[in-house]
Amino acid sequence: MGFSTTAIHAGQEPDEATGAVTVPIYQTSTYAQEGLGKNKGFEYARTQNPTRFAVERNIAALEGARFGYAFASGMAAIDATLRLIKGGEHVIVSDNTYGGTFRLFTKILSNYGLEFDFVNTSDVSKVEEKLKPNTRMVFLETPTNPVMIVTDLQAVSYVAHAAGARVVCDNTFMSPYLQRPLDFGVDIVVHSTTKYLNGHSDGVGGVVVLNDEEDANWLAFVQNSAGAILSPFDSWLVLRGTKTLALRMEQHDRTGRAVAAFLEEHPAVRKLYYPGSLSHPQHEIAKRQQRGFGGMVAFDVGSLDAARTVFESVKLCTLAESLGGVETLISHPATMTHASVLPETRARLGITEGLVRISVGLEDTDDIIADIDQALAKIE
Ligand SMILES: *Cc1c(COP(=O)(O)O)cnc(C)c1O
């Protein structure tokens, strides 16, 4: 079955009680039981909720996974995934990972005996060098936020598996429409559903999908025990979002290409970060493992003053954190999403004060480009 057919039907049958074609929001905390030990498989809503189950089955199907678990946020999903790791075990992480992931790993989980090494995972030999007997996980993000470093999923999975480590990929930037990490040997995919999967900037959530039954059982246990579940209403919003995921990603991708092509030629742009560009160092890998390049484009205008001019001059683009919604958002990674990353690390990664990140929305392509054009024209 094709992607859109799966998106519209997987995990959701017309409601048994009424025939409602859309999965209802089961806004209940508990379920009536027929007798002691006799129930319909639903006892308490932290543990079981039909709306949440539907979105979990749906996203698992889109990623080609057997199991899925939905959480209250992307960070809650990532935190739960790290519960597969015990004190004394070691994790290798993409060094240009999402700021919140970096913060969770270095400021919280490292207090519980988990060991982390941050490396440029686009260089497989760097991953190989850091693999140790106690390495149990390699945590990847590709393309990374915001400088779009691409990691070869197949190559990293190969060396990680040889060392007995699982591979996790944060697939938030691509969505399963543009990239399916499990097809390249990755074991676990995590998403912030807040972004493209919901797609309408009206809910926060996260999901973990995987095939290994033992790890899946542990994640289900963690989800129920720690309790950071996705609410029925937010589950419903994500279910509504995934139905149009293919259409939305096609358009994000089309406009992303046009915006990147425009920026690449613009004299005020010092550097473009976009895997679809022929000049991107991992363009060939991106082409091989992605169906498209998505709606995220970053560029450097050389200074904080120039960046500020852009932020203060845009009219259509909204200055805001987050990404993946219908509206075009523009942000300043150095002071917004990556403020918690050490200044020297930011400098090494290219997250300068002149770096601007755009999440291209679904407005008309020409309007988005015209807005960026008039803002860039204001730079002295
Ligand atoms: C937003 C984001 C997260 C965190 O998700 P929340 O839903 O905000 O908790 C994790 N990874 C990436 C790549 C993100 O963009």
Side-chain angles (χ1 to χ4, degrees), residues 13-263:
E13 297 292 320
D15 184 48
E16 269 183 36
T18 65
V21 294
T22 300
V23 175
I25 303 167
Y26 283 90
Q27 193 71 32
T28 185
S29 60
T30 191
Y31 307 88
Q33 307 200 21
E34 291 136 49
L36 288 182
K38 265 177 68 187
N39 57 61
K40 297 184 159 66
F42 292 88
E43 298 153 283
Y44 184 63
R46 172 168 24 79
T47 321
Q48 306 111 346
N49 182 281
T51 320
R52 194 183 82 224
F53 281 177
V55 78
E56 291 174 341
R57 288 192 300 260
N58 183 253
I59 299 174
L62 293 178
E63 288 283 4
R66 293 170 66 200
F67 308 103
Y69 303 97
F71 293 87
S73 70
M75 289 320 305
I78 292 170
D79 184 60
T81 303
L82 268 289
R83 305 298 164 139
L84 291 164
I85 305 302
K86 298 187 185 67
E89 294 180 346
H90 174 244
V91 180
I92 297 173
V93 190
S94 294
D95 63 353
N96 171 220
T97 191
Y98 176 72
T101 301
F102 181 79
R103 182 174 56 195
L104 173 70
F105 290 5
T106 57
K107 297 271 168 61
I108 299 181
L109 297 178
S110 61
N111 293 330
Y112 298 89
L114 279 69
E115 268 181 64
F116 296 97
D117 262 314
F118 293 84
V119 303
N120 179 353
T121 53
S122 73
D123 182 346
V124 185
S125 70
K126 294 255 167 59
V127 178
E128 240 175 336
E129 269 167 34
K130 291 288 182 191
L131 284 164
K132 302 196 285 193
N134 64 340
T135 307
R136 289 288 171 270
M137 183 180 284
V138 177
F139 190 98
L140 305 172
E141 217 178 292
T142 179
T144 61
N145 176 21
V147 294
M148 308 290 168
I149 298 166
V150 173
T151 290
D152 185 333
L153 293 171
Q154 199 157 23
V156 170
S157 297
Y158 185 79
V159 298
H161 289 162
R166 312 167 178 80
V167 179
V168 180
C169 179
D170 181 336
N171 199 26
T172 301
F173 263 40
M174 286 286 99
S175 88
Y177 182 72
L178 294 179
Q179 176 170 277
R180 296 219 316 176
L182 300 185
D183 295 347
F184 297 93
V186 166
D187 302 288
I188 302 174
V189 169
V190 298
H191 278 280
S192 166
T193 60
T194 313
K195 318 296 168 51
Y196 289 109
L197 290 173
N198 173 303
H200 296 72
S201 308
D202 54 13
V204 172
V207 70
V208 184
V209 304
L210 71 170
N211 280 322
D212 183 83
E213 193 158 359
E214 205 175 311
D215 279 358
N217 287 340
W218 183 245
L219 272 161
F221 189 75
V222 169
Q223 184 193 39
N224 184 46
S225 304
I229 47 162
L230 190 63
S231 77
F233 183 54
D234 286 296
S235 298
W236 184 86
L237 285 173
V238 176
L239 266 179
R240 189 190 55 165
T242 58
K243 292 192 176 88
T244 56
L245 185 64
L247 288 169
R248 288 188 287 109
M249 294 318 295
E250 284 285 348
Q251 181 64 15
H252 283 298
D253 185 59
R254 253 195 306 276
T255 304
R257 287 173 201 251
V259 167
F262 165 78
L263 291 169

Side-chain angles (χ1 to χ4, degrees), residues 297 299-301 303-321 329-336 352-359 371-372 374-376 378-379:
V297 183
F299 59 100
D300 201 318
V301 289
S303 70
L304 180 59
D305 277 347
R308 188 179 284 123
T309 302
V310 173
F311 295 125
E312 288 174 358
S313 308
V314 286
K315 297 188 176 92
L316 177 64
C317 306
T318 304
L319 177 63
E321 295 197 10
L329 300 180
I330 188 163
S331 73
H332 190 232
T335 59
M336 295 168 76
T352 61
E353 295 195 319
L355 188 72
V356 177
R357 189 190 82 177
I358 296 186
S359 167
D371 191 41
I372 301 167
Q374 63 82 25
L376 286 173
K378 302 244 164 62
I379 297 175

